[in-house]
Amino acid sequence: MSEDNAPEIVLALEIDDPALADRLAILLGNIAGLRLAAPGEAATATVMARDPRIMPEDIALTQRELDVLALMAEGASNKLIARQLGISVHTVKFHVGSLLDKLDATGRTDAVAHAARRGVIEL
Amino acid sequence: MSEDNAPEIVLALEIDDPALADRLAILLGNIAGLRLAAPGEAATATVMARDPRIMPEDIALTQRELDVLALMAEGASNKLIARQLGISVHTVKFHVGSLLDKLDATGRTDAVAHAARRGVIEL
DNA sequence: TGCGAAACTGGCCGGGTGGCCAGGACAGAC
DNA sequence: GTCTGTCCTGGCCACCCGGCCAGTTTCGCA
């Protein structure tokens, strides 16, 4: 047992392609000393599709949207963002609306999560 | 088609920690349908070390709080979380309140960002 | 057996959020 | 000129969120 100071390795799958993710999950599912991370669980290592994150430069966010997004990620409210950027709350809402649209998110929390996943912002 | 519609999966290891890389190489080395990439070879997916980010033994979150947190990270509303977990909205709010407190966050967006930063959840 | 922690539920309410409508200023491309 | 896109602003409104009060049950542990 001297060897077993090594704890189980927990692998997180971060793969968009469902087919590939499935195959990997099956292949990696039954290996002693290794298991897949439960959703939301902290992992030892991550399996990612080739080309970590920065896939395309798609999403095309404007500078102002990036400003707003960054502050959103800090947990700032619309009012605070408005004050920070020197614009009105209405304008902030406008940008937030655009972000929800472009990031295909249902709310600001979802927007930040999506953006982080895609590498648009760094948490 | 005996051999498959499913081509071999090639995994690249990008892990700095030699001990961990070794263990993974051994574990992943003998799995049918999967092999490790030769140096420089194009891979299907990559295994990366999780950011050494501050790992938390600290932040003691209860199982229920983790459930709620995971759903929050998906952008779910309190109502949706309640339905998902089969509990009332009030209870969800109760757990969210605890999370904001424990994670030192000002709102749910901030809570998810903090949790992700600290490795409590995977985005 | 009592005690605390965790989980759960309710009501109430001020303020935040997001969707909708409308508009204007200003740049660059056609 | 016209047109398109970005950025900016306003009002209105239904809904959501987070914080406050209160309570119950269930569980393990001392």
Side-chain angles (χ1 to χ4, degrees):
Chain A
M1 319 245 209
S2 41
E3 301 290 7
D4 280 333
N5 47 356
E8 203 172 32
I9 294 178
V10 179
L11 276 187
L13 288 185
E14 286 187 19
I15 296 191
D16 294 329
D17 178 4
L20 179 57
D22 258 13
R23 293 174 54 206
L24 276 171
I26 294 172
L27 289 174
L28 300 175
N30 290 316
I31 303 179
L34 184 158
R35 67 181 174 80
L36 297 179
E41 182 183 10
T44 314
T46 308
V47 182
M48 329 188 65
R50 204 48 175 146
D51 77 320
R53 316 213 140 174
I54 316 159
M55 329 157 175
E57 173 162 338
D58 44 21
I59 328 180
L61 299 182
T62 68
Q63 184 55 49
R64 214 47 168 170
E65 285 165 349
L66 287 173
D67 295 341
V68 172
L69 181 56
L71 290 170
M72 272 202 294
E74 302 296 326
S77 68
N78 288 339
K79 186 188 293 183
L80 227 168
I81 295 173
R83 217 161 8 221
Q84 206 82 17
L85 297 180
I87 58 182
S88 83
V89 174
H90 280 95
T91 305
V92 174
K93 288 183 177 185
F94 171 82
H95 291 305
V96 171
S98 297
L99 282 167
L100 298 189
D101 197 41
K102 290 185 178 178
L103 293 172
D104 194 32
T106 63
R108 58 171 57 233
T109 302
D110 203 28
V112 169
H114 276 136
R117 265 190 280 264
R118 302 196 198 182
V120 179
I121 55 171
E122 205 57 49
L123 289 185
Chain B
M1 311 247 174
S2 30
E3 300 236 326
D4 52 30
N5 33 16
E8 202 171 34
I9 293 177
V10 180
L11 275 188
L13 288 185
E14 288 186 15
I15 296 188
D16 293 331
D17 178 2
L20 180 57
D22 258 12
R23 292 174 55 206
L24 276 171
I26 293 171
L27 288 173
L28 300 175
N30 289 317
I31 304 177
L34 184 157
R35 68 181 173 80
L36 297 179
E41 181 183 10
T44 314
T46 308
V47 182
M48 315 190 72
R50 200 84 222 79
D51 261 6
R53 288 176 189 181
I54 333 106
M55 272 313 244
E57 311 151 25
D58 33 293
I59 336 177
L61 298 183
T62 68
Q63 184 54 50
R64 216 44 168 169
E65 286 166 349
L66 288 173
D67 295 342
V68 172
L69 182 57
L71 290 170
M72 272 201 294
E74 303 294 327
S77 67
N78 288 341
K79 186 189 294 182
L80 227 168
I81 295 173
R83 220 168 355 229
Q84 207 83 16
L85 297 180
I87 59 182
S88 83
V89 174
H90 279 94
T91 306
V92 174
K93 287 184 179 186
F94 171 81
H95 290 305
V96 171
S98 296
L99 283 165
L100 297 189
D101 198 40
K102 290 185 179 179
L103 293 172
D104 192 33
T106 64
R108 68 211 282 114
T109 303
D110 205 27
V112 168
H114 278 180
R117 264 190 282 264
R118 308 178 74 168
V120 179
I121 56 171
E122 286 303 320
L123 246 35

